[in-house]
Coordinates of all heavy atoms in Angstrom, one line a residue:
L64 N -6.4 4.3 4.0 CA -6.9 3.1 3.5 C -8.4 3.0 3.8 O -8.9 3.2 4.9 CB -6.3 1.9 4.2 CG -6.8 0.5 3.9 CD1 -6.7 0.1 2.4 CD2 -6.1 -0.5 4.8
T65 N -9.2 2.8 2.7 CA -10.7 2.7 2.9 C -11.1 1.3 2.4 O -10.9 0.9 1.3 CB -11.4 3.7 2.1 OG1 -11.0 5.0 2.5 CG2 -12.9 3.6 2.3
L66 N -11.6 0.5 3.4 CA -12.0 -0.9 3.1 C -13.5 -0.9 2.8 O -14.3 -0.3 3.6 CB -11.7 -1.8 4.3 CG -12.1 -3.2 4.1 CD1 -11.3 -4.0 3.0 CD2 -12.0 -4.0 5.5
R67 N -13.9 -1.5 1.7 CA -15.3 -1.6 1.4 C -15.6 -3.1 1.6 O -14.9 -4.0 1.0 CB -15.6 -1.2 0.0 CG -15.3 0.3 -0.1 CD -15.7 0.8 -1.5 NE -15.3 2.2 -1.6 CZ -14.1 2.6 -2.1 NH1 -13.2 1.7 -2.5 NH2 -13.8 3.9 -2.1
C68 N -16.6 -3.4 2.4 CA -16.9 -4.8 2.7 C -18.4 -5.0 3.0 O -19.1 -4.0 3.5 CB -16.1 -5.3 3.9 SG -16.2 -4.4 5.4
P69 N -18.9 -6.2 2.8 CA -20.3 -6.4 3.2 C -20.5 -6.3 4.7 O -19.6 -6.6 5.5 CB -20.5 -7.9 2.8 CG -19.5 -8.2 1.7 CD -18.3 -7.3 2.1
P70 N -21.6 -5.7 5.1 CA -21.8 -5.5 6.6 C -21.7 -6.8 7.3 O -22.1 -7.8 6.9 CB -23.2 -5.0 6.6 CG -23.5 -4.3 5.3 CD -22.7 -5.2 4.3
G71 N -20.9 -6.7 8.4 CA -20.7 -7.9 9.3 C -19.7 -8.9 8.8 O -19.5 -10.0 9.3
H72 N -18.9 -8.5 7.7 CA -17.9 -9.4 7.1 C -16.5 -8.9 7.2 O -15.7 -9.2 6.3 CB -18.3 -9.8 5.7 CG -19.5 -10.7 5.6 ND1 -20.8 -10.2 5.6 CD2 -19.6 -12.0 5.6 CE1 -21.6 -11.2 5.5 NE2 -20.9 -12.3 5.5
R73 N -16.2 -8.1 8.2 CA -14.8 -7.6 8.3 C -13.9 -8.7 8.5 O -14.2 -9.7 9.3 CB -14.8 -6.6 9.5 CG -13.5 -6.0 9.7 CD -13.6 -5.0 10.8 NE -12.4 -4.1 10.8 CZ -12.1 -3.4 11.9 NH1 -12.8 -3.5 13.0 NH2 -11.0 -2.7 11.8
T74 N -12.7 -8.7 7.9 CA -11.8 -9.9 8.0 C -10.7 -9.7 9.0 O -10.2 -10.7 9.5 CB -11.3 -10.2 6.6 OG1 -10.5 -9.0 6.2 CG2 -12.4 -10.4 5.6
S75 N -10.2 -8.5 9.2 CA -9.0 -8.3 10.0 C -9.2 -6.9 10.7 O -10.0 -6.1 10.3 CB -7.7 -8.3 9.2 OG -7.5 -9.5 8.6
D76 N -8.3 -6.7 11.7 CA -8.3 -5.4 12.3 C -7.6 -4.3 11.5 O -6.8 -4.7 10.7 CB -7.8 -5.5 13.8 CG -6.4 -5.9 13.8 OD1 -5.5 -5.1 13.5 OD2 -6.1 -7.1 14.1
A77 N -7.8 -3.1 11.8 CA -7.2 -2.0 11.1 C -5.7 -2.0 11.1 O -5.1 -1.8 10.1 CB -7.7 -0.7 11.6
S78 N -5.1 -2.4 12.2 CA -3.6 -2.3 12.3 C -3.0 -3.4 11.4 O -2.0 -3.1 10.7 CB -3.2 -2.5 13.7 OG -3.5 -3.8 14.2
T79 N -3.6 -4.6 11.2 CA -3.0 -5.6 10.4 C -3.2 -5.3 8.9 O -2.4 -5.6 8.1 CB -3.5 -7.0 10.7 OG1 -4.9 -7.0 10.5 CG2 -3.1 -7.4 12.1
L80 N -4.3 -4.6 8.6 CA -4.6 -4.2 7.2 C -3.7 -3.1 6.8 O -3.1 -3.1 5.7 CB -6.1 -3.8 7.1 CG -7.1 -4.9 7.2 CD1 -8.5 -4.3 7.4 CD2 -7.1 -5.8 6.0
L81 N -3.5 -2.1 7.7 CA -2.6 -1.0 7.4 C -1.2 -1.5 7.3 O -0.4 -1.0 6.4 CB -2.7 0.1 8.4 CG -4.0 1.0 8.3 CD1 -4.2 1.8 9.6 CD2 -3.8 2.0 7.1
G82 N -0.8 -2.4 8.2 CA 0.6 -2.9 8.2 C 0.9 -3.6 6.9 O 2.0 -3.5 6.3
G83 N -0.1 -4.4 6.4 CA 0.1 -5.1 5.2 C 0.3 -4.2 4.0 O 1.2 -4.3 3.2
V84 N -0.7 -3.3 3.9 CA -0.6 -2.3 2.7 C 0.6 -1.5 2.7 O 1.3 -1.3 1.7 CB -1.9 -1.4 2.7 CG1 -1.7 -0.3 1.8 CG2 -3.1 -2.3 2.4
C85 N 1.0 -1.0 3.9 CA 2.2 -0.2 4.0 C 3.5 -1.0 3.7 O 4.4 -0.5 3.0 CB 2.3 0.5 5.4 SG 1.0 1.8 5.6
A86 N 3.6 -2.2 4.2 CA 4.7 -3.0 3.9 C 4.9 -3.2 2.4 O 6.0 -3.2 1.9 CB 4.6 -4.4 4.6
V87 N 3.8 -3.5 1.7 CA 3.8 -3.8 0.3 C 4.2 -2.5 -0.5 O 4.9 -2.6 -1.5 CB 2.5 -4.3 -0.2 CG1 2.4 -4.4 -1.7 CG2 2.2 -5.7 0.4
L88 N 3.8 -1.3 -0.1 CA 3.9 -0.1 -0.9 C 5.2 0.6 -0.7 O 5.6 1.5 -1.4 CB 2.7 0.8 -0.8 CG 1.4 0.2 -1.3 CD1 0.3 1.2 -1.0 CD2 1.5 -0.2 -2.8
Q89 N 6.0 0.2 0.3 CA 7.3 0.9 0.5 C 8.3 0.2 -0.4 O 8.0 -0.8 -1.0 CB 7.7 0.8 2.0 CG 8.1 -0.6 2.5 CD 8.5 -0.6 3.9 OE1 9.0 0.4 4.4 NE2 8.4 -1.7 4.5
D90 N 9.5 0.7 -0.5 CA 10.6 0.1 -1.3 C 11.0 -1.2 -0.7 O 11.4 -1.3 0.4 CB 11.8 1.1 -1.3 CG 12.9 0.7 -2.2 OD1 12.8 -0.5 -2.7 OD2 13.8 1.5 -2.4
K91 N 10.8 -2.3 -1.5 CA 11.1 -3.6 -1.1 C 12.5 -4.0 -1.2 O 12.9 -5.1 -0.7 CB 10.2 -4.6 -1.9 CG 8.8 -4.6 -1.4 CD 7.8 -4.9 -2.5 CE 7.6 -3.9 -3.6 NZ 7.3 -2.5 -3.2
K92 N 13.4 -3.2 -1.8 CA 14.8 -3.6 -2.0 C 15.5 -3.6 -0.6 O 16.6 -4.2 -0.5 CB 15.4 -2.6 -2.9 CG 14.9 -2.8 -4.3 CD 15.6 -1.8 -5.3 CE 14.9 -1.9 -6.6 NZ 14.3 -0.7 -7.1
R93 N 14.9 -3.0 0.4 CA 15.4 -3.1 1.8 C 15.3 -4.5 2.4 O 16.0 -4.8 3.3 CB 14.7 -2.1 2.7 CG 14.7 -0.7 2.3 CD 13.9 0.2 3.2 NE 12.6 -0.4 3.6 CZ 12.4 -0.9 4.8 NH1 13.3 -1.0 5.7 NH2 11.2 -1.4 5.1
V94 N 14.4 -5.3 1.8 CA 14.1 -6.6 2.4 C 15.1 -7.6 1.8 O 14.9 -8.2 0.8 CB 12.7 -7.1 2.0 CG1 12.4 -8.5 2.6 CG2 11.6 -6.1 2.4
S95 N 16.3 -7.6 2.4 CA 17.4 -8.4 1.8 C 17.5 -9.8 2.3 O 18.2 -10.6 1.8 CB 18.7 -7.7 2.0 OG 18.9 -7.5 3.4
S96 N 16.7 -10.1 3.4 CA 16.8 -11.4 4.0 C 16.1 -12.5 3.2 O 16.3 -13.7 3.5 CB 16.3 -11.4 5.4 OG 14.9 -11.0 5.4
I97 N 15.3 -12.2 2.3 CA 14.5 -13.2 1.4 C 14.7 -12.8 0.0 O 14.9 -11.6 -0.4 CB 13.0 -13.2 1.8 CG1 12.3 -11.9 1.5 CG2 12.8 -13.7 3.2 CD1 10.8 -12.0 1.6
G98 N 14.5 -13.8 -0.9 CA 14.6 -13.5 -2.3 C 13.2 -12.9 -2.8 O 12.2 -13.3 -2.3
L99 N 13.3 -12.0 -3.7 CA 12.2 -11.3 -4.2 C 12.0 -11.6 -5.7 O 11.1 -11.0 -6.3 CB 12.2 -9.8 -3.9 CG 12.3 -9.5 -2.4 CD1 12.5 -8.0 -2.3 CD2 11.0 -9.9 -1.7
A100 N 12.8 -12.4 -6.3 CA 12.8 -12.6 -7.8 C 11.4 -13.1 -8.2 O 11.0 -12.8 -9.3 CB 13.8 -13.7 -8.2
H101 N 10.6 -13.8 -7.4 CA 9.3 -14.3 -7.8 C 8.3 -13.1 -8.0 O 7.3 -13.3 -8.7 CB 8.7 -15.2 -6.7 CG 8.5 -14.6 -5.4 ND1 9.6 -14.3 -4.5 CD2 7.4 -14.1 -4.8 CE1 9.1 -13.7 -3.4 NE2 7.8 -13.6 -3.6
L102 N 8.6 -11.9 -7.6 CA 7.8 -10.8 -7.8 C 8.0 -10.2 -9.2 O 7.2 -9.4 -9.7 CB 8.0 -9.7 -6.8 CG 7.5 -10.0 -5.4 CD1 7.9 -8.9 -4.4 CD2 6.0 -10.3 -5.3
G103 N 9.1 -10.6 -9.9 CA 9.4 -10.0 -11.2 C 9.5 -8.5 -11.2 O 10.1 -8.0 -10.2
V104 N 9.0 -7.8 -12.2 CA 9.1 -6.4 -12.2 C 8.3 -5.7 -11.1 O 8.6 -4.5 -10.8 CB 8.6 -5.9 -13.6 CG1 9.5 -6.4 -14.7 CG2 7.2 -6.2 -13.9
L105 N 7.4 -6.4 -10.5 CA 6.6 -5.7 -9.4 C 7.5 -5.4 -8.2 O 7.1 -4.6 -7.3 CB 5.5 -6.6 -9.0 CG 4.4 -6.8 -10.0 CD1 3.3 -7.8 -9.5 CD2 3.8 -5.5 -10.4
V106 N 8.7 -6.0 -8.1 CA 9.6 -5.7 -7.0 C 10.0 -4.3 -7.0 O 10.3 -3.7 -5.9 CB 10.8 -6.6 -7.0 CG1 11.8 -6.2 -8.1 CG2 11.5 -6.6 -5.6
D107 N 9.9 -3.6 -8.1 CA 10.3 -2.2 -8.2 C 9.2 -1.2 -7.9 O 9.4 0.0 -7.9 CB 10.8 -1.9 -9.6 CG 12.1 -2.6 -9.9 OD1 13.0 -2.7 -9.0 OD2 12.3 -3.1 -11.1
V108 N 8.0 -1.7 -7.6 CA 6.9 -0.8 -7.3 C 7.0 -0.3 -5.9 O 7.0 -1.1 -5.0 CB 5.5 -1.6 -7.5 CG1 4.4 -0.6 -7.1 CG2 5.3 -2.0 -9.0
A109 N 7.1 1.0 -5.8 CA 7.2 1.6 -4.4 C 6.6 3.0 -4.5 O 6.9 3.7 -5.5 CB 8.7 1.7 -4.0
L110 N 5.8 3.3 -3.6 CA 5.2 4.7 -3.6 C 5.9 5.6 -2.6 O 5.8 6.8 -2.7 CB 3.7 4.6 -3.2 CG 2.9 3.7 -4.1 CD1 1.4 3.8 -3.8 CD2 3.1 4.0 -5.6
W111 N 6.7 5.0 -1.7 CA 7.6 5.8 -0.9 C 8.8 4.9 -0.5 O 8.8 3.7 -0.9 CB 6.9 6.3 0.4 CG 6.4 5.3 1.3 CD1 7.1 4.6 2.3 CD2 5.1 4.7 1.3 NE1 6.3 3.7 2.9 CE2 5.0 3.7 2.3 CE3 3.9 4.9 0.6 CZ2 3.9 3.0 2.6 CZ3 2.8 4.2 0.9 CH2 2.8 3.2 1.9
T112 N 9.8 5.4 0.1 CA 11.0 4.7 0.4 C 10.9 3.8 1.6 O 11.2 2.6 1.5 CB 12.2 5.6 0.6 OG1 12.3 6.5 -0.5 CG2 13.5 4.9 0.7
D113 N 10.5 4.3 2.7 CA 10.5 3.5 4.0 C 9.3 3.9 4.9 O 8.9 5.1 4.9 CB 11.8 3.9 4.7 CG 12.1 3.0 5.9 OD1 11.5 3.4 7.0 OD2 12.8 2.0 5.8
D114 N 8.8 3.0 5.6 CA 7.7 3.2 6.5 C 8.0 4.3 7.5 O 7.0 4.9 8.1 CB 7.2 2.0 7.2 CG 6.3 1.1 6.3 OD1 5.9 1.6 5.2 OD2 6.0 0.0 6.7
R115 N 9.2 4.6 7.8 CA 9.6 5.6 8.8 C 9.2 7.0 8.3 O 9.1 7.9 9.1 CB 11.1 5.6 9.1 CG 11.5 4.4 9.8 CD 13.0 4.4 10.2 NE 13.5 3.1 10.4 CZ 14.3 2.4 9.6 NH1 14.8 3.0 8.6 NH2 14.6 1.2 9.9
Q116 N 8.8 7.1 7.0 CA 8.4 8.4 6.4 C 6.9 8.7 6.8 O 6.5 9.8 6.6 CB 8.5 8.3 4.9 CG 9.9 8.3 4.4 CD 9.9 8.0 2.9 OE1 10.4 7.0 2.5 NE2 9.4 8.9 2.1
I117 N 6.2 7.7 7.2 CA 4.7 7.8 7.4 C 4.5 8.7 8.6 O 5.0 8.4 9.7 CB 4.0 6.5 7.6 CG1 4.2 5.7 6.3 CG2 2.6 6.7 7.9 CD1 3.7 4.2 6.4
R118 N 3.8 9.8 8.4 CA 3.5 10.8 9.5 C 2.0 10.7 9.9 O 1.6 11.1 11.0 CB 3.8 12.2 9.1 CG 5.3 12.4 8.8 CD 6.1 12.2 10.1 NE 7.5 12.4 9.9 CZ 8.4 11.5 9.5 NH1 8.0 10.3 9.3 NH2 9.7 11.8 9.3
R119 N 1.1 10.3 8.9 CA -0.3 10.2 9.2 C -0.8 8.9 8.5 O -0.5 8.6 7.4 CB -1.0 11.4 8.5 CG -0.7 12.7 9.1 CD -1.5 13.8 8.4 NE -0.9 15.1 8.7 CZ -0.8 16.1 7.8 NH1 -1.4 16.0 6.6 NH2 -0.3 17.2 8.2
L120 N -1.7 8.2 9.3 CA -2.4 7.0 8.8 C -3.8 7.2 9.1 O -4.2 7.7 10.1 CB -1.9 5.8 9.6 CG -0.6 5.1 9.2 CD1 -0.3 4.0 10.2 CD2 -0.7 4.5 7.8
S121 N -4.7 6.8 8.1 CA -6.1 6.8 8.4 C -6.7 5.5 7.8 O -6.2 4.9 6.8 CB -6.8 8.0 7.8 OG -6.9 7.9 6.4
Y122 N -7.8 5.0 8.5 CA -8.5 3.8 8.1 C -9.9 4.1 8.2 O -10.4 4.7 9.2 CB -8.1 2.6 9.0 CG -8.9 1.4 8.8 CD1 -8.5 0.5 7.7 CD2 -10.0 1.1 9.5 CE1 -9.3 -0.6 7.5 CE2 -10.7 0.0 9.3 CZ -10.4 -0.9 8.3 OH -11.1 -2.0 8.0
A123 N -10.7 3.7 7.2 CA -12.1 3.8 7.3 C -12.8 2.6 6.6 O -12.1 1.9 5.8 CB -12.6 5.1 6.5
E124 N -14.0 2.3 7.0 CA -14.7 1.2 6.4 C -16.0 1.8 5.8 O -16.6 2.7 6.4 CB -15.1 0.1 7.4 CG -13.9 -0.7 7.9 CD -14.3 -1.8 8.8 OE1 -15.5 -2.2 8.9 OE2 -13.4 -2.3 9.5
E125 N -16.4 1.2 4.7 CA -17.7 1.6 4.1 C -18.4 0.3 3.7 O -17.8 -0.7 3.3 CB -17.4 2.4 2.8 CG -16.7 3.7 3.1 CD -16.4 4.5 1.8 OE1 -16.6 3.9 0.7 OE2 -16.0 5.6 1.9
P126 N -19.7 0.3 3.8 CA -20.5 -0.9 3.4 C -20.5 -1.0 1.8 O -20.5 -0.1 1.1 CB -21.9 -0.6 3.9 CG -22.0 0.9 4.0 CD -20.6 1.4 4.3
A127 N -20.4 -2.3 1.4 CA -20.4 -2.6 0.0 C -20.9 -4.0 -0.2 O -20.8 -4.8 0.7 CB -19.1 -2.4 -0.7
E128 N -21.3 -4.4 -1.4 CA -21.7 -5.8 -1.7 C -20.5 -6.7 -1.8 O -20.5 -7.8 -1.5 CB -22.5 -5.8 -2.9 CG -23.9 -5.2 -2.7 CD -24.8 -5.4 -3.9 OE1 -24.6 -6.3 -4.7 OE2 -25.7 -4.6 -4.1
E129 N -19.4 -6.1 -2.4 CA -18.2 -6.9 -2.6 C -17.0 -6.3 -1.9 O -17.0 -5.0 -1.7 CB -17.9 -7.0 -4.1 CG -19.0 -7.6 -5.0 CD -19.1 -9.1 -4.7 OE1 -18.1 -9.8 -4.5 OE2 -20.3 -9.6 -4.8

Side-chain angles (χ1 to χ4, degrees):
L64 174 62
T65 303
L66 177 67
R67 296 183 185 91
C68 58
H72 287 88
R73 184 176 192 199
T74 62
S75 297
D76 62 76
S78 64
T79 59
L80 292 165
L81 284 164
V84 167
C85 291
V87 170
L88 296 178
Q89 71 178 336
D90 187 348
K91 285 149 291 302
K92 292 179 185 122
R93 306 175 316 102
V94 183
S95 59
S96 60
I97 63 167
L99 300 175
H101 62 282
L102 293 175
V104 297
L105 295 177
V106 74
D107 293 323
V108 176
L110 302 186
W111 62 86
T112 306
D113 187 279
D114 279 351
R115 291 184 204 113
Q116 294 169 244
I117 298 172
R118 298 297 183 267
R119 297 181 195 145
L120 279 171
S121 73
Y122 174 82
E124 289 184 18
E125 297 177 353
E128 290 185 25
E129 301 290 328

